[in-house]
Amino acid sequence: MKLPAVLYESCKGKEPVDMKENKGLKCFRFLCIAPAAILFFVFMIVPTFNVFRMSLYEKGAYSPNETFVGFKNFQTLLQDANFIRSMQNMILLVVIVTVITFAFALVFAGILSREKIKGQNFFRIVFYIPNILSVVVISGIFSAIYKPENGMLNSIIGLFRDMSDPILWKGQSLVMVSIIIAMVWQAIGYYMVMYMASMASVPESLYESAGLDGASRVTQFFQITIPLIWTNIRTTLTFFIISTINMAFLFVKAMTSGGPNGASDVALNYMYSQKDAGLFGYSMAIGVVIFLFSFALSALVNKVTEREPLEF
């Protein structure tokens, strides 16, 4: 059966144009994605693969030769008391800093979002300022606060008790507490602002209805606010836990360098110390363990916090 001449001509002329448009769109998409994909492959995939490869070798600092040792480096790690302690310190910081930071960030966001407080914008700025400061600056501030002789903290305590024997805030028994305080102070403001933005989208009518039913502010916070912003909490929680592994290293490096006597050492700092000692293969094995730990922790957090999203 023959098509009418007009219809045949229209179809015949239209098909090549559509094909050209599709090809042009595909080329445009490829050109947009290609630079980012190439950079990601060169600076992320290749180095990550090289870390895994080097962890199976023994290599000195100034030697070009590599000796394949298999899983020997990982077997040594399991017997390395310093590495085990550094992992324990890292896990301690991840858990405690995450819990404290998110608890305070949610509470402060709830107060500043729902309560009528004068100067709310001022408090937002004040809380956010630590996030724009570099880790080195924050470490310098807290190191000055923690000084045993004339630090601000001991000076304030000295108003109420005898300080002839000053408290060593960066001593072996209190150094982890001191680092936790600095890390929490740095992170609270950023996540508080994020949660305030999420809470602003919760309809006020839900709170009014709950208030008429006799629900208190605390009940409304846990029964309405938290469930409705849970997706944001879950996303930021995963992001924060992974970033804390890196932030712990930066704070430790800037404040204590792992001291005293390794009391504040974390896994990343220990990895760099082994690299500086010339044990390249061993330090790469530590990097692999940290990578696998981060990946497993992310998967665990995503699974534990998984729930059906609520809509309003």
Side-chain angles (χ1 to χ4, degrees):
M1 179 179 176
K2 271 192 170 184
L3 289 171
V6 177
L7 182 60
Y8 176 76
E9 290 297 328
S10 63
C11 291
K12 184 180 176 182
K14 187 177 180 182
E15 187 175 352
V17 174
D18 289 342
M19 290 177 65
K20 287 180 180 179
E21 288 179 355
N22 290 335
K23 286 181 180 179
L25 184 60
K26 289 179 180 179
C27 290
F28 175 74
R29 289 173 179 171
F30 175 79
L31 291 174
C32 290
I33 296 173
I38 293 170
L39 290 174
F40 181 79
F41 179 79
V42 172
F43 293 103
M44 291 294 293
I45 302 299
V46 173
T48 301
F49 174 79
N50 200 37
V51 167
F52 278 85
R53 184 190 68 82
M54 287 187 64
S55 68
L56 303 176
Y57 287 81
E58 189 176 87
K59 185 174 186 291
Y62 304 105
S63 173
N65 300 321
E66 295 179 346
T67 304
F68 181 79
V69 294
F71 293 99
K72 180 183 175 182
N73 289 327
F74 296 96
Q75 292 172 352
T76 306
L77 280 178
L78 297 177
Q79 301 171 356
D80 189 343
N82 291 328
F83 169 73
I84 293 173
R85 180 173 61 177
S86 68
M87 283 294 294
Q88 290 173 341
N89 289 339
M90 184 180 74
I91 294 171
L92 178 70
L93 287 175
V94 169
V95 173
I96 295 181
V97 171
T98 300
V99 171
I100 296 176
T101 300
F102 275 70
F104 277 101
L106 284 167
V107 170
F108 291 155
I111 293 173
L112 291 177
S113 296
R114 300 221 47 222
E115 303 298 330
K116 294 181 180 179
I117 300 174
K118 290 184 179 180
Q120 286 186 352
N121 291 331
F122 170 76
F123 285 110
R124 291 184 189 183
I125 295 171
V126 169
F127 274 101
Y128 192 78
I129 284 176
N131 188 70
I132 64 177
L133 299 177
S134 70
V135 173
V136 175
V137 172
I138 295 173
S139 299
I141 293 172
F142 276 89
S143 293
I145 292 173
Y146 293 145
K147 275 187 177 180
E149 302 84 10
N150 56 359
M152 186 182 73
L153 197 53
N154 277 354
S155 299
I156 294 174
I157 297 174
L159 298 175
F160 306 98
R161 53 165 282 191
D162 180 30
M163 292 297 289
S164 55
D165 186 17
I167 300 173
L168 301 177
W169 293 101
K170 292 169 70 175
Q172 195 161 341
S173 60
L174 292 174
V175 64
M176 293 299 291
V177 176
S178 301
I179 293 172
I180 287 171
I181 293 172
M183 291 181 67
V184 170
W185 184 80
Q186 184 267 345
I188 283 179
Y190 175 77
Y191 291 95
M192 183 197 76
V193 171
M194 290 189 68
Y195 294 145
M196 288 181 69
S198 296
M199 291 176 186
S201 64
V202 179
E204 189 65 30
S205 59
L206 294 178
Y207 296 117
E208 293 174 357
S209 299
L212 293 174
D213 291 335
S216 64
R217 290 280 191 175
V218 176
T219 303
Q220 293 175 27
F221 179 75
F222 285 102
Q223 297 296 326
I224 297 176
T225 306
I226 296 296
L228 289 178
I229 67 169
W230 185 254
T231 301
N232 190 17
I233 294 175
R234 185 184 179 212
T235 304
T236 54
L237 182 63
T238 305
F239 171 76
F240 181 75
I241 288 175
I242 302 307
S243 65
T244 301
I245 295 174
N246 182 56
M247 294 301 295
F249 160 68
L250 296 176
F251 272 97
V252 166
K253 192 70 175 176
M255 289 182 68
T256 65
S257 296
N261 299 322
S264 63
D265 207 7
V266 291
L268 277 173
N269 190 61
Y270 187 66
M271 181 188 76
Y272 275 92
S273 68
Q274 296 305 297
K275 184 268 297 181
D276 294 337
L279 303 175
F280 282 9
Y282 191 64
S283 65
M284 292 301 100
I286 298 173
V288 169
V289 172
I290 297 172
F291 174 83
L292 295 177
F293 171 79
S294 304
F295 186 83
L297 188 60
S298 299
L300 178 63
V301 170
N302 273 314
K303 187 65 179 176
V304 171
T305 59
E306 187 177 8
R307 59 178 295 177
E308 289 292 330
L310 298 178
E311 297 181 357
F312 53 86

